[in-house]
Amino acid sequence: MSDELGLSVGAKGISEGIKTGREAGREIAKNIEDAQKEAVDIAKAQANARIRERREAEFKKERAIFKALDEYRHRKKISEEEYKLRVEFIKKYGTKEWDKVIQIKNEIEKIEKADKEYFDAELSKVRWVQFWCFLAAGWIAYYIVWGSKR
């Protein structure tokens, strides 16, 4: 009599619905777990990247300190050598001659500064010409590729 009312078919349908619901629930749970795992992996990767950046910054800072210390030592050594040279030169030739040496040094520095300014100006001109050459080459390439097709 239960078959006449369709109860067995209904029970089977409910059973299959529950089974399908469980499978869907498992898939949803799996998707959520995968998403959570990806989020954790991304967070770990970002944390590792920050740690690496911090270490690199510390390394650069340490390197900069060592470079600055070396530069200080170098400058200190030069100034000490200049002082010794000055004392020896003044003992041997006198202060007037030392003043002439300082004048020659200043002239050399002026010449070097002028040469650098001239070089920078010429380099600027070369870069300007290079820019226009690249612009012309780009225009020619455009005309060759697309300009003749109009």
Side-chain angles (χ1 to χ4, degrees):
M1 180 155 204
S2 63
D3 281 336
E4 291 177 10
L5 296 174
L7 292 177
S8 64
V9 174
K12 285 182 181 178
I14 290 174
S15 159
E16 289 178 15
I18 292 172
K19 184 179 177 183
T20 305
R22 283 184 189 163
E23 289 175 7
R26 284 187 199 126
E27 283 188 38
I28 290 172
K30 184 181 178 198
N31 287 339
I32 290 172
E33 288 175 1
D34 289 344
Q36 288 174 341
K37 185 180 178 201
E38 287 177 17
V40 168
D41 290 343
I42 290 172
K44 284 181 182 178
Q46 288 176 346
N48 289 337
R50 280 186 295 237
I51 290 169
R52 183 173 41 255
E53 287 173 4
R54 188 177 69 236
R55 285 181 184 165
E56 288 175 1
E58 289 173 1
F59 180 70
K60 286 180 183 177
K61 185 177 177 183
E62 289 175 6
R63 278 191 8 206
I65 289 172
F66 288 123
K67 283 182 179 180
L69 186 60
D70 289 341
E71 183 66 23
Y72 171 78
R73 288 178 184 156
H74 179 69
R75 289 181 184 183
K76 181 82 171 168
K77 183 179 177 183
I78 289 173
S79 64
E80 289 172 357
E81 289 176 1
E82 285 179 351
Y83 178 74
K84 288 178 186 176
L85 182 66
R86 179 177 179 233
V87 169
E88 290 175 12
F89 190 87
I90 290 175
K91 282 182 184 177
K92 191 171 185 179
Y93 299 105
T95 56
K96 289 183 181 180
E97 296 298 320
W98 179 253
D99 291 338
K100 290 179 183 178
V101 169
I102 296 297
Q103 287 176 351
I104 294 170
K105 175 188 163 210
N106 290 337
E107 289 173 7
I108 291 171
E109 288 175 348
K110 285 180 185 177
I111 291 171
E112 288 176 352
K113 183 178 178 184
D115 287 345
K116 184 182 181 324
E117 289 174 358
Y118 176 76
F119 176 76
D120 290 342
E122 292 299 311
L123 184 62
S124 176
K125 291 176 186 176
V126 167
R127 287 183 179 159
W128 185 248
V129 169
Q130 188 179 22
F131 166 76
W132 283 107
C133 288
F134 284 140
L135 186 66
W139 183 79
I140 291 169
Y142 173 80
Y143 181 74
I144 290 171
V145 174
W146 291 288
S148 62
K149 294 182 181 180
R150 287 186 181 189

